Amino acid sequence: MLIRTCNAFQPCTLSEYAFSSLPSLTFRTIGGILDFYLFLGPTPENVIQQYTKVIGRPSMPPYWSLGFQLCRYGYNNITNLMDAVQSTAKYDIPHDVQYVDIDHMDTQKIFTVDDERFPDLNNYFEQLRDKGMRIIYILDPCLIANETDYTPYEKLKAVDGYIKWKNPDDVDEASKDDMGAMLGYVWPRGKTAFPDFMKTKTQEEWKTLIKEYRNTLVFDGLWIDMNEPANFGTNEERPWNWPEDEKPYWSLKCPKDSLEDPPYRTKVCSKWDTKDKPARLSDKTICMGGVQGDKGQYRHYDVHSLFGWSQSKPTLEAAQEATGERSVVISRSTFPGSGQYAGHWLGDNVSQWKDMHRSIIGMLEFNMFGIPYIGADICGFFKDTTPELCKRWMQLGAFYTFSRNHNTLGAKPQGPGQLGDDVGNASRDIMRVRYKLLPYLYFLFSEAHQHGSTVVRPLHHEFPTDQTALSVDRQFLWGSCLLISPILEQGQTELAYYLPKGKWFNYFTHALEESTIGIQKKVPVDAESMPLLHLRGGCVIVEQAYANNTHFSRQKPLTILAALDTDKKASGGFFWDDGASIDPIGSGNYTNAKISVANKSLNLTVQHKPPGDAPWTRVNFDKLVVLGIDDTVMSVRLRESLNHHGEDLKFTQDGQVLQVELGEKGITQYDTFEVLWSI
């Protein structure tokens, strides 16, 4: 069930719910329009497909955004930034995207660079891009309002582009600008105004600011934070980051009325009550009585939850217009439908083992919410990580769809190359596995984009009648085919995992583990162990050789890996494009193929191929690996048409594993072909 109301402040707070044993489900909300949707499935995966058909299908991310990403709040200068990049390269860890946080700015003002601490930052970014890497940086939706000649604030002010007080004359001068915009205090060293993205002119001016600023500091994607919107110190004596020696203190203080303090007190309020005062709706954000929209027709009380959603769309549009390519936006605040424009990270976690485990649950939830581009801050944001925790978290984070290592100001550096050989080598090895699997991950995103499927899913989505699978939250699937079982405990010496009914092949050894009714298993682990990966019998996936980033890995040959089920069958798909063009499906510039195995043959049938011969189409299939063949194979032939008798292929067989060499045949990604083997 979806109950869609933009009055919900946070999931399960203003729009609260409770289950009973009747069974029944009770919802409570503070108001607004309520749209009720029932999705009947019948399978869990069908429900998500139906849900995303209503709210909007997830966007198709650029290929490079599936690579490893490195960030921190607190590089503080370009030397530390360069050291993080160089240390990653020292261990040959694949690395696609480099970030900077607000500390690269001039006193935390967006659309600025601190040229003393980050001299020639744009030139350095261009050097990284010349090596195939990409750049993302942060934009917070709060612009300093009391600094002379700060152009971004003035340009938005010129179009009346900020959230305003309904009756500015009733508000003290310290809490508004001269056009009645509501002022708060966030990261810049002064009062800030908040763009009203419900206004058309604000959206257009925001896009213009982004596009023009790219001429100063290059980017490939954007990260929008603090967009609930967050405000520091609301209704308090002073914000936590207001300089203690600068008096008089000031903070945004909201009036006493039914919008700021509605008759029904919500959980978000009661949770933060103190003995000195009850919490209010506006605490940590702006006042509910603000007005938004082209005609001031919306109360912030009614559209608060839409702030991040309304910022995401123009930000993505600006990024794509500025770069001329498909881009990616990472947003902290989301709403049903945000997945059309943005991915998400799971917020400010802590460097502790329980937060690593919790990230799996969050990743599964956001896939169900229609936002499959999702991950947590690898190794933890707050507090110092440890080498063991960071190694295990890098191993888990290699299977987040959004794979980014990030931590905070004051914590020790935790880039994967900055914590010693154990972390560096383990990070390299697991990221190489991720990069090999990126064609399969990209195919899953194409399915999510076109059909609304999850990319990462819980086991019960594939095994809905398996009661054990229903409770598993320490394992997860990429699509229907790849089962990931990470190491999640400090000092762990044994890994327990569950295999639902079917054939499962160890991804690394190709050994078969068969489960007739679902089975709990254990394996010993030590300091050198990786997560367990199992390929499900009945699946075909496409792999590619790894490289130091996706610019180079995309040029490598492709491998087809097929795992046979109990009926000696398997199926899968393949999607490929240039990885960067906007709307490749709409333009027809992509390859899509169906792959099936039955009756001792593999068929790859191209269902769509691009109209031209672009460079990205010249990646060939190099190998075919088939798991689960019981008989001795005597010969293997390639047939490229029904009238073609076929030509012999070189092959080797090791037990149940058949490996066929395709490289000499020049089979491109848009060739329909068949490989047959005889016993």
Side-chain angles (χ1 to χ4, degrees), residues 206-208 210-211 219 222 313-323:
W206 178 255
K207 289 166 64 174
T208 298
I210 289 172
K211 289 186 286 186
F219 65 80
L222 292 169
K313 185 173 185 288
T315 304
L316 179 63
E317 290 173 348
Q320 295 189 156
E321 291 171 16
T323 62

Side-chain angles (χ1 to χ4, degrees), residues 417-468:
Q418 296 177 305
L419 293 171
D421 290 348
D422 190 31
V423 177
N425 293 333
S427 299
R428 175 200 62 219
D429 293 344
I430 199 64
M431 281 298 165
R432 285 177 172 178
V433 174
R434 176 187 178 88
Y435 275 62
K436 282 184 65 178
L437 290 164
L438 286 185
Y440 174 56
L441 183 59
Y442 199 55
F443 166 72
L444 293 176
F445 269 103
S446 75
E447 292 291 290
H449 179 58
Q450 295 177 84
H451 309 297
S453 309
T454 58
V455 174
V456 178
R457 63 190 62 158
L459 274 64
H460 75 265
H461 270 228
E462 291 296 315
F463 304 93
T465 62
D466 185 331
Q467 292 299 306
T468 301

Side-chain angles (χ1 to χ4, degrees), residues 419-630:
L419 293 171
D421 290 348
D422 190 31
V423 177
N425 293 333
S427 299
R428 175 200 62 219
D429 293 344
I430 199 64
M431 281 298 165
R432 285 177 172 178
V433 174
R434 176 187 178 88
Y435 275 62
K436 282 184 65 178
L437 290 164
L438 286 185
Y440 174 56
L441 183 59
Y442 199 55
F443 166 72
L444 293 176
F445 269 103
S446 75
E447 292 291 290
H449 179 58
Q450 295 177 84
H451 309 297
S453 309
T454 58
V455 174
V456 178
R457 63 190 62 158
L459 274 64
H460 75 265
H461 270 228
E462 291 296 315
F463 304 93
T465 62
D466 185 331
Q467 292 299 306
T468 301
L470 190 62
S471 64
V472 172
D473 63 7
R474 289 173 169 263
Q475 298 169 260
F476 54 93
L477 289 156
W478 270 14
S480 60
C481 291
L482 189 69
L483 177 63
I484 296 108
S485 305
I487 300 166
L488 300 173
E489 301 293 337
Q490 184 176 10
Q492 191 167 337
T493 59
E494 190 175 65
L495 176 59
Y497 61 100
Y498 178 69
L499 292 180
K501 181 181 179 180
K503 284 190 171 185
W504 297 90
F505 295 86
N506 185 299
Y507 175 78
F508 299 110
T509 68
H510 295 162
L512 171 63
E513 297 182 53
E514 194 158 9
S515 173
T516 56
I517 57 171
I519 186 171
Q520 300 279 3
K521 302 192 72 173
K522 294 180 180 180
V523 292
V525 297
D526 57 27
E528 304 300 317
S529 298
M530 285 190 183
L532 276 181
L533 304 184
H534 286 91
L535 186 62
R536 183 181 178 185
C539 286
V540 181
I541 66 173
V542 176
E543 303 175 304
Q544 191 169 39
Y546 61 79
N548 62 333
N549 61 52
T550 57
H551 174 77
F552 297 103
S553 69
R554 281 180 53 86
Q555 302 172 40
K556 302 273 188 173
L558 299 163
T559 295
I560 300 172
L561 177 60
L564 303 184
D565 63 15
T566 54
D567 296 323
K568 301 302 177 186
K569 294 180 179 180
S571 63
F574 175 63
F575 179 91
W576 201 249
D577 60 10
D578 65 2
S581 62
I582 300 169
D583 192 19
I585 295 173
S587 67
N589 288 312
Y590 68 96
T591 296
N592 189 37
K594 179 180 179 181
I595 310 173
S596 61
V597 181
N599 300 320
K600 297 187 288 296
S601 72
L602 177 140
N603 285 272
L604 186 146
T605 304
V606 174
Q607 298 179 310
H608 178 89
K609 63 182 180 180
D613 183 28
W616 61 267
T617 67
R618 298 170 195 159
V619 177
N620 293 352
F621 287 101
D622 185 50
K623 290 180 183 177
L624 163 64
V625 179
V626 184
L627 312 180
I629 294 182
D630 294 328

Side-chain angles (χ1 to χ4, degrees), residues 211-281:
K211 289 186 286 186
E212 290 178 347
Y213 188 63
R214 192 174 186 268
N215 297 322
T216 299
L217 190 62
V218 70
F219 65 80
D220 299 281
L222 292 169
W223 170 27
I224 49 178
D225 192 10
M226 310 294 289
N227 58 348
E228 289 77 23
N231 184 64
F232 296 147
T234 309
N235 302 318
E236 299 175 3
E237 181 185 12
R238 70 179 178 95
W240 68 270
N241 58 338
W242 184 284
E244 193 169 356
D245 58 352
E246 291 188 13
K247 297 183 177 180
Y249 295 150
W250 176 89
S251 68
L252 173 63
K253 294 182 176 63
C254 301
K256 303 283 188 179
D257 59 36
S258 61
L259 292 183
E260 309 298 338
D261 303 284
Y264 170 65
R265 295 199 73 237
T266 64
K267 281 186 179 179
V268 75
C269 291
S270 59
K271 178 180 179 181
W272 297 106
D273 284 348
T274 68
K275 64 179 181 180
D276 299 320
K277 66 173 185 176
R280 308 180 68 196
L281 278 184

